[in-house]
Amino acid sequence: MTEPKTPAGFVSLVSAGPGDPELLTLKAANRLAAADVVLFDDLASGPVLDQAGPQAELIAVGKRAGRPSARQDHVNQLLVQYAQAGHRVVRLKSGDAGIFGRLEEELLALTEAGIPFEIIPGVTSASAAAAAAGIPLTRRLTSRRVQFITGADVTGDLPADINWAAIADPAVTTVVFMGQRSFTRLAQGLREHGLPGDTPALFAEAVGHPQQRLLRTTVDGLARELQGIEVVNPGLIMFGPLAFRPGS
Ligand SMILES: C[S@@+](CC[C@H](N)C(=O)[O-])C[C@H]1O[C@@H](n2cnc3c(N)ncnc32)[C@H](O)[C@@H]1O
């Protein structure tokens, strides 16, 4: 462990954005520059870590679907231990830390241990994907609601308690996180609940990374595209009255 720097430690739960360091907030960059220890997820690695100062100890605690990862209780334990040793700790999470990021578990562990913390919000991959595709997330008259859902429950399967009426609503923009593997089944459910198969859909892969790929298609087209794929990069799915013509 690095030598303690402050008598009482502090944890900054920092949003890393989608991967492009220019999408870090100034506050996030400042916390990284001042950190003694940075605990980072797989998706919050790469060039954003260059913002950490030379004094920082960088520790990978990656959580990535289908790959080995540190257990959540081990991550909680590390956060508490480093803070109790007096360090300025940055816990770096991809996108916005408060969206599908297991933030609550870490907040609870810090609260129980009496460790002071702050949360630094950031650019979620949902906003970054829409921006990369040149579209808004909402549209006047046609899309007055945005909903973020997960395509994978703790076991990695499509959640069993999906609110089909809500996600088959044709007047809503739905963003599916962690949904590549289950999208074919999700699309089938959407059709069964009345959402037309030609509803525009966007697949945004590795947004903010050099290998970024955008596919403008339809719900049915994307279901075919993603059938049986091996997931290599993080990908986000968006569907609803999106502001493009499929295939454009
Ligand atoms: C554990 S969730 C974290 C989401 C993150 N907190 C956010 O606000 O973007 C991980 C999922 O976010 C999405 N994701 C994160 N970074 C991404 C990126 N750069 N490009 C596309 N999707 C991304 C993918 O759906 C991925 O499976």
Side-chain angles (χ1 to χ4, degrees):
M1 258 196 191
T2 325
E3 283 306 299
K5 288 278 171 56
T6 53
F10 188 81
V11 175
S12 301
L13 297 135
V14 174
S15 302
D20 176 351
E22 287 193 300
L23 291 178
L24 277 170
T25 62
L26 276 178
K27 214 174 219 185
N30 289 341
R31 293 302 184 274
L32 280 167
D36 301 314
V37 182
V38 180
L39 298 167
F40 64 95
D41 284 339
D42 208 13
L43 289 179
S45 56
V48 288
L49 285 176
D50 295 344
Q51 301 298 317
Q55 76 290 347
E57 185 178 345
L58 306 180
I59 302 169
V61 290
K63 293 198 207 91
R64 186 87 175 261
R67 298 192 190 170
S69 61
R71 286 168 52 94
Q72 183 63 50
D73 49 7
H74 179 58
V75 178
N76 297 350
Q77 212 175 29
L78 286 177
L79 279 175
V80 169
Q81 280 172 358
Y82 277 106
Q84 281 174 339
H87 296 295
R88 278 170 300 209
V89 181
V90 162
R91 172 70 177 104
L92 193 63
K93 289 172 167 288
S94 75
D96 180 88
I99 299 173
F100 299 127
R102 316 261 320 242
L103 180 64
E104 191 175 351
E105 288 92 324
E106 295 175 18
L107 296 181
L108 268 173
L110 294 172
T111 305
E112 274 168 18
I115 290 164
F117 62 82
E118 65 179 346
I119 301 171
I120 299 185
V123 178
T124 172
S125 52
S127 311
I135 59 169
L137 278 168
T138 59
R139 295 180 83 185
R140 199 166 60 86
L141 306 180
T142 54
S143 177
R144 293 197 179 106
R145 196 169 91 232
V146 180
Q147 54 194 0
F148 292 171
I149 69 165
T150 172
D153 64 13
V154 282
T155 67
D157 283 342
L158 193 64
D161 58 353
I162 286 182
N163 180 343
W164 288 106
I167 65 161
D169 183 341
V172 177
T173 300
T174 300
V175 183
V176 191
F177 290 74
M178 298 164 282
Q180 285 142 286
R181 284 199 187 85
S182 60
F183 190 68
T184 305
R185 276 172 293 137
L186 189 85
Q188 189 187 335
L190 288 171
R191 271 192 304 278
E192 286 164 9
H193 289 81
L195 189 78
D198 62 358
T199 299
L202 172 74
F203 178 54
E205 194 176 25
V207 176
H209 295 264
Q211 63 275 35
Q212 174 176 300
R213 183 171 78 103
L214 301 172
L215 177 66
R216 295 168 178 84
T217 178
T218 60
V219 166
D220 280 356
L222 188 57
R224 282 193 297 274
E225 179 85 12
L226 294 180
Q227 193 157 27
I229 60 146
E230 196 197 328
V231 176
V232 178
N233 292 311
L236 207 76
I237 294 159
M238 209 176 281
F239 62 86
L242 307 181
F244 60 71
R245 279 199 306 281
S248 60

